[in-house]
């Protein structure tokens, strides 16, 4: 299972100096620091310098490329709205 990480995402992780995770949100895959959504043992681990990008096994079924547009605002990660 090959997952490509865009250079913009690599730069973000390296500049922040922390681990990130691709997890599931209401709007699809979300890229957040692991301080927002911690990694799980089942995650796929992608080394980025001294840090790790964790990819949820659920998202890994669908995501082949991690892009900067997946960055999710930490205030919104747990907020799902139902529109009628």
């Amino acid at each position: 299972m090959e997952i490509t990480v865009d250079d913009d995402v690599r730069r973000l992780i390296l500049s922040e100096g922390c681990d990130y995770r691709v997890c599931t949100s209401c709007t699809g895959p979300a890229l957040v620091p692991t301080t927002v959504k911690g990694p799980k043992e089942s995650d796929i681990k992608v080394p980025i310098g001294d840090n790790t990008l964790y990819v949820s096994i659920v998202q890994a079924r669908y995501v082949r490329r991690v892009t900067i547009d997946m960055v999710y605002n930490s205030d919104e990660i747990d907020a799902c709205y139902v529109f009628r």
Side-chain angles (χ1 to χ4, degrees):
M1 182 178 308
E2 183 75 23
I3 297 175
T4 303
V5 180
D6 281 5
D7 288 340
D8 288 341
V9 174
R10 290 180 180 278
R11 280 191 289 274
L12 170 70
I13 293 170
L14 294 171
S15 71
E16 293 292 321
C18 66
D19 297 338
Y20 271 73
R21 183 171 190 246
V22 176
C23 61
T24 303
S25 75
C26 296
T27 59
L31 178 63
V32 297
T34 55
T35 55
V36 175
K37 289 287 185 184
K40 296 182 178 179
E41 285 189 33
S42 60
D43 288 351
I44 294 170
K45 298 168 187 77
V46 180
I48 308 287
D50 292 336
N51 297 103
T52 302
L53 171 62
Y54 296 90
V55 181
S56 159
I57 195 72
V58 172
Q59 288 301 318
R61 289 187 233 162
Y62 308 104
V63 172
R64 294 290 170 253
R65 183 172 159 217
V66 180
T67 59
I68 200 70
D69 63 338
M70 292 178 180
V71 172
Y72 211 81
N73 182 323
S74 63
D75 295 334
E76 298 173 349
I77 190 67
D78 288 320
C80 293
Y81 302 98
V82 176
F83 297 98
R84 294 176 189 221

mmCIF file of all heavy atoms in Angstrom, residues 12-55:
data_model
loop_
_atom_site.group_PDB
_atom_site.id
_atom_site.type_symbol
_atom_site.label_atom_id
_atom_site.label_comp_id
_atom_site.label_asym_id
_atom_site.label_seq_id
_atom_site.Cartn_x
_atom_site.Cartn_y
_atom_site.Cartn_z
ATOM 1 N N LEU A 12 5.059 21.267 6.067
ATOM 2 C CA LEU A 12 4.241 21.589 7.232
ATOM 3 C C LEU A 12 4.681 20.762 8.443
ATOM 4 O O LEU A 12 4.910 21.301 9.528
ATOM 5 C CB LEU A 12 2.757 21.331 6.941
ATOM 6 C CG LEU A 12 1.824 21.411 8.147
ATOM 7 C CD1 LEU A 12 1.688 22.846 8.631
ATOM 8 C CD2 LEU A 12 0.475 20.815 7.822
ATOM 9 N N ILE A 13 4.791 19.470 8.264
ATOM 10 C CA ILE A 13 5.164 18.581 9.367
ATOM 11 C C ILE A 13 6.557 18.918 9.882
ATOM 12 O O ILE A 13 6.777 19.014 11.098
ATOM 13 C CB ILE A 13 5.056 17.104 8.931
ATOM 14 C CG1 ILE A 13 3.588 16.751 8.684
ATOM 15 C CG2 ILE A 13 5.685 16.172 9.966
ATOM 16 C CD1 ILE A 13 3.361 15.407 8.016
ATOM 17 N N LEU A 14 7.487 19.150 8.970
ATOM 18 C CA LEU A 14 8.852 19.489 9.378
ATOM 19 C C LEU A 14 8.916 20.833 10.089
ATOM 20 O O LEU A 14 9.615 20.988 11.090
ATOM 21 C CB LEU A 14 9.789 19.465 8.171
ATOM 22 C CG LEU A 14 10.001 18.086 7.540
ATOM 23 C CD1 LEU A 14 10.775 18.215 6.233
ATOM 24 C CD2 LEU A 14 10.719 17.163 8.512
ATOM 25 N N SER A 15 8.162 21.816 9.606
ATOM 26 C CA SER A 15 8.201 23.144 10.220
ATOM 27 C C SER A 15 7.506 23.156 11.581
ATOM 28 O O SER A 15 7.929 23.867 12.493
ATOM 29 C CB SER A 15 7.593 24.202 9.301
ATOM 30 O OG SER A 15 6.196 24.042 9.207
ATOM 31 N N GLU A 16 6.449 22.356 11.736
ATOM 32 C CA GLU A 16 5.736 22.276 13.012
ATOM 33 C C GLU A 16 6.495 21.409 14.021
ATOM 34 O O GLU A 16 6.315 21.561 15.229
ATOM 35 C CB GLU A 16 4.327 21.725 12.809
ATOM 36 C CG GLU A 16 3.406 22.632 12.022
ATOM 37 C CD GLU A 16 3.062 23.905 12.772
ATOM 38 O OE1 GLU A 16 2.852 23.835 13.998
ATOM 39 O OE2 GLU A 16 3.015 24.964 12.125
ATOM 40 N N GLY A 17 7.277 20.470 13.508
ATOM 41 C CA GLY A 17 8.061 19.607 14.382
ATOM 42 C C GLY A 17 7.230 18.667 15.229
ATOM 43 O O GLY A 17 7.618 18.322 16.347
ATOM 44 N N CYS A 18 6.078 18.258 14.703
ATOM 45 C CA CYS A 18 5.237 17.320 15.450
ATOM 46 C C CYS A 18 4.630 16.301 14.487
ATOM 47 O O CYS A 18 4.662 16.482 13.283
ATOM 48 C CB CYS A 18 4.147 18.040 16.236
ATOM 49 S SG CYS A 18 2.909 18.875 15.233
ATOM 50 N N ASP A 19 4.115 15.233 15.064
ATOM 51 C CA ASP A 19 3.481 14.190 14.274
ATOM 52 C C ASP A 19 2.085 14.630 13.848
ATOM 53 O O ASP A 19 1.427 15.412 14.547
ATOM 54 C CB ASP A 19 3.369 12.899 15.084
ATOM 55 C CG ASP A 19 4.730 12.334 15.452
ATOM 56 O OD1 ASP A 19 5.725 12.655 14.793
ATOM 57 O OD2 ASP A 19 4.780 11.542 16.426
ATOM 58 N N TYR A 20 1.660 14.124 12.701
ATOM 59 C CA TYR A 20 0.318 14.404 12.184
ATOM 60 C C TYR A 20 -0.374 13.085 11.897
ATOM 61 O O TYR A 20 0.269 12.042 11.786
ATOM 62 C CB TYR A 20 0.399 15.233 10.898
ATOM 63 C CG TYR A 20 0.412 16.721 11.151
ATOM 64 C CD1 TYR A 20 1.528 17.349 11.675
ATOM 65 C CD2 TYR A 20 -0.697 17.500 10.875
ATOM 66 C CE1 TYR A 20 1.538 18.719 11.916
ATOM 67 C CE2 TYR A 20 -0.704 18.865 11.107
ATOM 68 C CZ TYR A 20 0.414 19.462 11.625
ATOM 69 O OH TYR A 20 0.405 20.801 11.871
ATOM 70 N N ARG A 21 -1.701 13.177 11.737
ATOM 71 C CA ARG A 21 -2.495 11.992 11.426
ATOM 72 C C ARG A 21 -3.568 12.338 10.417
ATOM 73 O O ARG A 21 -4.183 13.396 10.486
ATOM 74 C CB ARG A 21 -3.164 11.475 12.707
ATOM 75 C CG ARG A 21 -3.965 10.204 12.497
ATOM 76 C CD ARG A 21 -4.409 9.613 13.825
ATOM 77 N NE ARG A 21 -4.962 8.281 13.598
ATOM 78 C CZ ARG A 21 -6.236 7.960 13.800
ATOM 79 N NH1 ARG A 21 -7.094 8.851 14.242
ATOM 80 N NH2 ARG A 21 -6.659 6.735 13.551
ATOM 81 N N VAL A 22 -3.778 11.445 9.475
ATOM 82 C CA VAL A 22 -4.913 11.546 8.566
ATOM 83 C C VAL A 22 -6.009 10.677 9.176
ATOM 84 O O VAL A 22 -5.858 9.458 9.297
ATOM 85 C CB VAL A 22 -4.574 11.063 7.139
ATOM 86 C CG1 VAL A 22 -5.815 11.104 6.255
ATOM 87 C CG2 VAL A 22 -3.461 11.906 6.527
ATOM 88 N N CYS A 23 -7.078 11.337 9.602
ATOM 89 C CA CYS A 23 -8.187 10.631 10.240
ATOM 90 C C CYS A 23 -9.479 10.945 9.488
ATOM 91 O O CYS A 23 -9.465 11.639 8.475
ATOM 92 C CB CYS A 23 -8.295 11.023 11.710
ATOM 93 S SG CYS A 23 -8.597 12.777 11.991
ATOM 94 N N THR A 24 -10.569 10.442 9.996
ATOM 95 C CA THR A 24 -11.861 10.632 9.352
ATOM 96 C C THR A 24 -12.609 11.788 9.995
ATOM 97 O O THR A 24 -12.685 11.883 11.208
ATOM 98 C CB THR A 24 -12.700 9.348 9.469
ATOM 99 O OG1 THR A 24 -11.958 8.273 8.885
ATOM 100 C CG2 THR A 24 -14.032 9.490 8.762
ATOM 101 N N SER A 25 -13.153 12.661 9.153
ATOM 102 C CA SER A 25 -14.028 13.743 9.619
ATOM 103 C C SER A 25 -15.325 13.652 8.825
ATOM 104 O O SER A 25 -15.442 12.851 7.898
ATOM 105 C CB SER A 25 -13.364 15.104 9.413
ATOM 106 O OG SER A 25 -13.387 15.464 8.050
ATOM 107 N N CYS A 26 -16.247 14.497 9.165
ATOM 108 C CA CYS A 26 -17.540 14.507 8.464
ATOM 109 C C CYS A 26 -17.390 14.814 6.977
ATOM 110 O O CYS A 26 -18.204 14.370 6.172
ATOM 111 C CB CYS A 26 -18.468 15.543 9.080
ATOM 112 S SG CYS A 26 -18.891 15.167 10.765
ATOM 113 N N THR A 27 -16.366 15.587 6.654
ATOM 114 C CA THR A 27 -16.188 16.008 5.264
ATOM 115 C C THR A 27 -15.155 15.175 4.520
ATOM 116 O O THR A 27 -14.783 15.506 3.403
ATOM 117 C CB THR A 27 -15.799 17.492 5.203
ATOM 118 O OG1 THR A 27 -14.586 17.678 5.945
ATOM 119 C CG2 THR A 27 -16.895 18.368 5.780
ATOM 120 N N GLY A 28 -14.675 14.106 5.148
ATOM 121 C CA GLY A 28 -13.689 13.253 4.488
ATOM 122 C C GLY A 28 -12.399 13.180 5.276
ATOM 123 O O GLY A 28 -12.390 13.403 6.487
ATOM 124 N N PRO A 29 -11.279 12.883 4.597
ATOM 125 C CA PRO A 29 -10.010 12.762 5.308
ATOM 126 C C PRO A 29 -9.564 14.110 5.867
ATOM 127 O O PRO A 29 -9.705 15.139 5.217
ATOM 128 C CB PRO A 29 -9.044 12.255 4.239
ATOM 129 C CG PRO A 29 -9.654 12.631 2.943
ATOM 130 C CD PRO A 29 -11.132 12.658 3.158
ATOM 131 N N ALA A 30 -9.043 14.068 7.102
ATOM 132 C CA ALA A 30 -8.592 15.288 7.768
ATOM 133 C C ALA A 30 -7.161 15.095 8.247
ATOM 134 O O ALA A 30 -6.834 14.075 8.858
ATOM 135 C CB ALA A 30 -9.500 15.609 8.942
ATOM 136 N N LEU A 31 -6.328 16.072 7.965
ATOM 137 C CA LEU A 31 -4.930 16.057 8.400
ATOM 138 C C LEU A 31 -4.814 16.944 9.631
ATOM 139 O O LEU A 31 -5.027 18.153 9.549
ATOM 140 C CB LEU A 31 -4.032 16.568 7.266
ATOM 141 C CG LEU A 31 -2.550 16.674 7.540
ATOM 142 C CD1 LEU A 31 -1.956 15.296 7.843
ATOM 143 C CD2 LEU A 31 -1.843 17.314 6.359
ATOM 144 N N VAL A 32 -4.518 16.327 10.778
ATOM 145 C CA VAL A 32 -4.466 17.058 12.052
ATOM 146 C C VAL A 32 -3.240 16.624 12.844
ATOM 147 O O VAL A 32 -2.746 15.507 12.681
ATOM 148 C CB VAL A 32 -5.730 16.814 12.899
ATOM 149 C CG1 VAL A 32 -6.976 17.328 12.205
ATOM 150 C CG2 VAL A 32 -5.889 15.349 13.244
ATOM 151 N N PRO A 33 -2.754 17.501 13.736
ATOM 152 C CA PRO A 33 -1.667 17.079 14.637
ATOM 153 C C PRO A 33 -2.166 15.948 15.542
ATOM 154 O O PRO A 33 -3.361 15.871 15.853
ATOM 155 C CB PRO A 33 -1.379 18.331 15.468
ATOM 156 C CG PRO A 33 -2.011 19.470 14.745
ATOM 157 C CD PRO A 33 -3.143 18.899 13.954
ATOM 158 N N THR A 34 -1.253 15.099 15.969
ATOM 159 C CA THR A 34 -1.655 13.990 16.830
ATOM 160 C C THR A 34 -2.082 14.469 18.216
ATOM 161 O O THR A 34 -2.661 13.688 18.973
ATOM 162 C CB THR A 34 -0.527 12.952 16.967
ATOM 163 O OG1 THR A 34 0.660 13.610 17.430
ATOM 164 C CG2 THR A 34 -0.277 12.251 15.641
ATOM 165 N N THR A 35 -1.842 15.738 18.534
ATOM 166 C CA THR A 35 -2.358 16.283 19.788
ATOM 167 C C THR A 35 -3.867 16.478 19.708
ATOM 168 O O THR A 35 -4.540 16.564 20.727
ATOM 169 C CB THR A 35 -1.682 17.626 20.119
ATOM 170 O OG1 THR A 35 -1.849 18.515 19.018
ATOM 171 C CG2 THR A 35 -0.209 17.439 20.418
ATOM 172 N N VAL A 36 -4.409 16.533 18.487
ATOM 173 C CA VAL A 36 -5.852 16.680 18.276
ATOM 174 C C VAL A 36 -6.509 15.301 18.202
ATOM 175 O O VAL A 36 -7.519 15.045 18.839
ATOM 176 C CB VAL A 36 -6.152 17.499 16.999
ATOM 177 C CG1 VAL A 36 -7.637 17.541 16.713
ATOM 178 C CG2 VAL A 36 -5.582 18.903 17.124
ATOM 179 N N LYS A 37 -5.963 14.429 17.391
ATOM 180 C CA LYS A 37 -6.441 13.047 17.253
ATOM 181 C C LYS A 37 -5.219 12.139 17.299
ATOM 182 O O LYS A 37 -4.427 12.100 16.356
ATOM 183 C CB LYS A 37 -7.178 12.832 15.920
ATOM 184 C CG LYS A 37 -8.523 13.496 15.842
ATOM 185 C CD LYS A 37 -9.535 12.769 16.682
ATOM 186 C CE LYS A 37 -10.907 13.373 16.498
ATOM 187 N NZ LYS A 37 -11.906 12.779 17.336
ATOM 188 N N GLY A 38 -5.068 11.450 18.390
ATOM 189 C CA GLY A 38 -3.899 10.599 18.581
ATOM 190 C C GLY A 38 -3.868 9.407 17.648
ATOM 191 O O GLY A 38 -4.902 8.961 17.151
ATOM 192 N N PRO A 39 -2.681 8.872 17.414
ATOM 193 C CA PRO A 39 -2.537 7.711 16.531
ATOM 194 C C PRO A 39 -3.093 6.447 17.174
ATOM 195 O O PRO A 39 -3.247 6.364 18.392
ATOM 196 C CB PRO A 39 -1.023 7.605 16.329
ATOM 197 C CG PRO A 39 -0.429 8.250 17.525
ATOM 198 C CD PRO A 39 -1.394 9.327 17.945
ATOM 199 N N LYS A 40 -3.409 5.493 16.315
ATOM 200 C CA LYS A 40 -3.871 4.176 16.762
ATOM 201 C C LYS A 40 -2.856 3.143 16.303
ATOM 202 O O LYS A 40 -2.128 3.355 15.327
ATOM 203 C CB LYS A 40 -5.243 3.859 16.183
ATOM 204 C CG LYS A 40 -6.331 4.801 16.676
ATOM 205 C CD LYS A 40 -7.674 4.407 16.109
ATOM 206 C CE LYS A 40 -8.758 5.340 16.644
ATOM 207 N NZ LYS A 40 -10.074 4.989 16.097
ATOM 208 N N GLU A 41 -2.830 2.021 16.979
ATOM 209 C CA GLU A 41 -1.884 0.963 16.610
ATOM 210 C C GLU A 41 -2.092 0.475 15.181
ATOM 211 O O GLU A 41 -1.147 0.028 14.529
ATOM 212 C CB GLU A 41 -1.986 -0.204 17.583
ATOM 213 C CG GLU A 41 -1.350 0.092 18.919
ATOM 214 C CD GLU A 41 -1.253 -1.134 19.789
ATOM 215 O OE1 GLU A 41 -1.066 -2.250 19.252
ATOM 216 O OE2 GLU A 41 -1.363 -0.975 21.011
ATOM 217 N N SER A 42 -3.299 0.562 14.688
ATOM 218 C CA SER A 42 -3.614 0.070 13.340
ATOM 219 C C SER A 42 -3.217 1.050 12.232
ATOM 220 O O SER A 42 -3.284 0.698 11.058
ATOM 221 C CB SER A 42 -5.105 -0.239 13.241
ATOM 222 O OG SER A 42 -5.865 0.937 13.501
ATOM 223 N N ASP A 43 -2.810 2.280 12.594
ATOM 224 C CA ASP A 43 -2.449 3.289 11.588
ATOM 225 C C ASP A 43 -1.222 2.870 10.779
ATOM 226 O O ASP A 43 -0.333 2.180 11.283
ATOM 227 C CB ASP A 43 -2.128 4.632 12.255
ATOM 228 C CG ASP A 43 -3.350 5.340 12.798
ATOM 229 O OD1 ASP A 43 -4.480 4.905 12.520
ATOM 230 O OD2 ASP A 43 -3.158 6.348 13.505
ATOM 231 N N ILE A 44 -1.202 3.329 9.555
ATOM 232 C CA ILE A 44 -0.017 3.192 8.714
ATOM 233 C C ILE A 44 0.907 4.344 9.067
ATOM 234 O O ILE A 44 0.471 5.485 9.199
ATOM 235 C CB ILE A 44 -0.403 3.222 7.224
ATOM 236 C CG1 ILE A 44 -1.229 1.971 6.914
ATOM 237 C CG2 ILE A 44 0.820 3.323 6.337
ATOM 238 C CD1 ILE A 44 -1.877 1.985 5.573
ATOM 239 N N LYS A 45 2.197 4.049 9.234
ATOM 240 C CA LYS A 45 3.170 5.056 9.644
ATOM 241 C C LYS A 45 4.050 5.452 8.473
ATOM 242 O O LYS A 45 4.656 4.596 7.826
ATOM 243 C CB LYS A 45 4.016 4.524 10.793
ATOM 244 C CG LYS A 45 3.204 4.203 12.031
ATOM 245 C CD LYS A 45 4.018 3.406 13.030
ATOM 246 C CE LYS A 45 3.178 2.944 14.181
ATOM 247 N NZ LYS A 45 2.322 1.821 13.882
ATOM 248 N N VAL A 46 4.115 6.774 8.207
ATOM 249 C CA VAL A 46 4.950 7.303 7.141
ATOM 250 C C VAL A 46 5.979 8.233 7.789
ATOM 251 O O VAL A 46 5.608 9.265 8.344
ATOM 252 C CB VAL A 46 4.115 8.084 6.105
ATOM 253 C CG1 VAL A 46 4.995 8.626 4.994
ATOM 254 C CG2 VAL A 46 2.993 7.220 5.539
ATOM 255 N N PRO A 47 7.279 7.879 7.743
ATOM 256 C CA PRO A 47 8.273 8.751 8.349
ATOM 257 C C PRO A 47 8.441 10.041 7.551
ATOM 258 O O PRO A 47 8.511 10.019 6.319
ATOM 259 C CB PRO A 47 9.562 7.925 8.320
ATOM 260 C CG PRO A 47 9.305 6.769 7.429
ATOM 261 C CD PRO A 47 7.838 6.664 7.189
ATOM 262 N N ILE A 48 8.479 11.170 8.283
ATOM 263 C CA ILE A 48 8.708 12.489 7.691
ATOM 264 C C ILE A 48 9.789 13.144 8.548
ATOM 265 O O ILE A 48 9.484 13.673 9.625
ATOM 266 C CB ILE A 48 7.442 13.368 7.681
ATOM 267 C CG1 ILE A 48 6.237 12.668 7.054
ATOM 268 C CG2 ILE A 48 7.722 14.725 7.033
ATOM 269 C CD1 ILE A 48 6.290 12.520 5.551
ATOM 270 N N GLY A 49 11.027 13.075 8.122
ATOM 271 C CA GLY A 49 12.123 13.573 8.946
ATOM 272 C C GLY A 49 12.125 12.839 10.277
ATOM 273 O O GLY A 49 12.064 11.609 10.326
ATOM 274 N N ASP A 50 12.189 13.603 11.383
ATOM 275 C CA ASP A 50 12.152 13.016 12.724
ATOM 276 C C ASP A 50 10.733 12.746 13.204
ATOM 277 O O ASP A 50 10.538 12.263 14.318
ATOM 278 C CB ASP A 50 12.844 13.947 13.732
ATOM 279 C CG ASP A 50 14.342 14.035 13.503
ATOM 280 O OD1 ASP A 50 14.918 13.093 12.922
ATOM 281 O OD2 ASP A 50 14.936 15.054 13.903
ATOM 282 N N ASN A 51 9.752 13.081 12.390
ATOM 283 C CA ASN A 51 8.346 12.932 12.768
ATOM 284 C C ASN A 51 7.691 11.810 11.986
ATOM 285 O O ASN A 51 8.286 11.225 11.095
ATOM 286 C CB ASN A 51 7.598 14.246 12.543
ATOM 287 C CG ASN A 51 8.148 15.341 13.420
ATOM 288 O OD1 ASN A 51 8.885 16.191 12.947
ATOM 289 N ND2 ASN A 51 7.833 15.306 14.691
ATOM 290 N N THR A 52 6.423 11.557 12.334
ATOM 291 C CA THR A 52 5.657 10.498 11.679
ATOM 292 C C THR A 52 4.314 11.041 11.239
ATOM 293 O O THR A 52 3.666 11.782 11.973
ATOM 294 C CB THR A 52 5.442 9.315 12.644
ATOM 295 O OG1 THR A 52 6.710 8.833 13.083
ATOM 296 C CG2 THR A 52 4.673 8.189 11.974
ATOM 297 N N LEU A 53 3.929 10.662 10.040
ATOM 298 C CA LEU A 53 2.571 10.912 9.558
ATOM 299 C C LEU A 53 1.833 9.588 9.696
ATOM 300 O O LEU A 53 2.227 8.577 9.097
ATOM 301 C CB LEU A 53 2.571 11.366 8.100
ATOM 302 C CG LEU A 53 1.204 11.443 7.431
ATOM 303 C CD1 LEU A 53 0.315 12.467 8.137
ATOM 304 C CD2 LEU A 53 1.354 11.777 5.962
ATOM 305 N N TYR A 54 0.805 9.589 10.519
ATOM 306 C CA TYR A 54 -0.020 8.399 10.719
ATOM 307 C C TYR A 54 -1.226 8.502 9.794
ATOM 308 O O TYR A 54 -1.829 9.564 9.679
ATOM 309 C CB TYR A 54 -0.499 8.311 12.165
ATOM 310 C CG TYR A 54 0.621 8.146 13.162
ATOM 311 C CD1 TYR A 54 1.231 9.250 13.732
ATOM 312 C CD2 TYR A 54 1.066 6.880 13.521
ATOM 313 C CE1 TYR A 54 2.266 9.105 14.644
ATOM 314 C CE2 TYR A 54 2.096 6.720 14.432
ATOM 315 C CZ TYR A 54 2.695 7.840 14.985
ATOM 316 O OH TYR A 54 3.715 7.685 15.885
ATOM 317 N N VAL A 55 -1.557 7.405 9.161
ATOM 318 C CA VAL A 55 -2.727 7.377 8.282
ATOM 319 C C VAL A 55 -3.671 6.306 8.820
ATOM 320 O O VAL A 55 -3.305 5.127 8.919
ATOM 321 C CB VAL A 55 -2.345 7.078 6.822
ATOM 322 C CG1 VAL A 55 -3.583 7.080 5.934
ATOM 323 C CG2 VAL A 55 -1.318 8.088 6.310
#
